[in-house]
Structure formats: structure tokens, C-alpha cells
Amino acid sequence: MKLKLGIICGILIWIITSFFTGIFNPIFNSNLPHVNIIAPIIIIITTVFFGIIYIRSIESNEVVEGILIGIVYIVIDIILDTIFFIIPNWGKSILQTYPAHIISISILTLLITTFLGYLSQMNIDLK
């Protein structure tokens, strides 16, 4: 496992997701107040992008590496959410939905990274 690359990718996923969610959530929440679709879409895009960057440098056990890097991404998300939103009490709205946030992030991240690991071990011949 390339832990340094995994941590860098996990931090970048969190930064990009937090930045774009902060920008686009007010726009979409004013029009659709009960639908929170922006955060999952941004999480999916960034996790796929940085997951590909991580997985393509792995030579063996790609599925296991996908699961492990997914766990690393989840732990980084929890740590950075705690440091920047929960402890300073900036994200009061995040505390109300935090369990749902953790569950959805965990499911999405583990599915994406495991699937990327599975796809990377396949020999695909496009003709």
C-alpha cells in the first residue's frame, strides 16, 4: 500500500469536495430545499478521479488495495470533518446529518474504490 499517495489523494478529495459543496449547495438548496444531490455527485467524481490515480500505480491485489484505500479515504474524511467542522462548531447543520453523511460516504467510497480495483485487474481489449 502506498500510504503517502493515499493520504494525499484523500486530503485532496476532502478539500475539493468541501470547496465545491460549499459553492454549489446554496445554489441548489434554494431551489430544491429537501434534495441534497450536489455532495454525492462531487464525492463520486473526485473519488473516481483520485482512485484511478492511486489504483493505476498498484501492480497486484488491486481489489484489496481498493478496499484499503477506501478505508483510508473514509478515515481522512472523518478526521478532517472533526477538525474543521465539528470541533470549531462551524458546521452546525453537519452535526444534525453527520451519521447519514458518514454512512453515505462510507458506502460510496468503498463501492467506488473496490470497483476500481476490480476493473484495474481486468485485461480489457477494446476493438
Side-chain angles (χ1 to χ4, degrees):
M1 177 171 204
K2 298 182 178 187
L3 191 59
K4 184 178 178 181
L5 178 62
I7 291 172
I8 291 169
C9 289
I11 291 171
L12 288 173
I13 289 171
W14 186 86
I15 290 170
I16 292 169
T17 302
S18 298
F19 178 74
F20 283 114
T21 302
I23 289 175
F24 290 119
N25 249 355
I27 296 169
F28 284 93
N29 283 347
S30 63
N31 296 328
L32 302 167
H34 300 293
V35 177
N36 187 10
I37 193 70
I38 295 302
I41 289 172
I42 294 170
I43 289 167
I44 290 168
I45 293 169
T46 56
T47 303
V48 167
F49 179 76
F50 287 107
I52 289 171
I53 288 174
Y54 178 82
I55 289 289
R56 72 178 181 187
S57 67
I58 303 300
E59 299 298 324
S60 63
N61 295 331
E62 290 93 349
V63 176
V64 174
E65 287 289 331
I67 293 169
L68 292 175
I69 198 61
I71 293 170
V72 168
Y73 290 169
I74 293 166
V75 168
I76 289 171
D77 181 66
I78 292 170
I79 291 170
L80 292 176
D81 279 346
T82 303
I83 291 171
F84 289 103
F85 294 123
I86 295 175
I87 291 175
N89 209 10
W90 284 353
K92 292 181 181 179
S93 63
I94 198 171
L95 292 176
Q96 297 168 352
T97 61
Y98 196 66
H101 169 77
I102 292 300
I103 292 169
S104 65
I105 292 296
S106 299
I107 292 170
L108 282 173
T109 303
L110 285 175
L111 282 175
I112 290 169
T113 56
T114 304
F115 189 63
L116 285 173
Y118 174 73
L119 288 177
S120 70
Q121 72 182 4
M122 297 175 65
N123 291 327
I124 298 173
D125 187 22
L126 299 175
K127 289 185 179 184

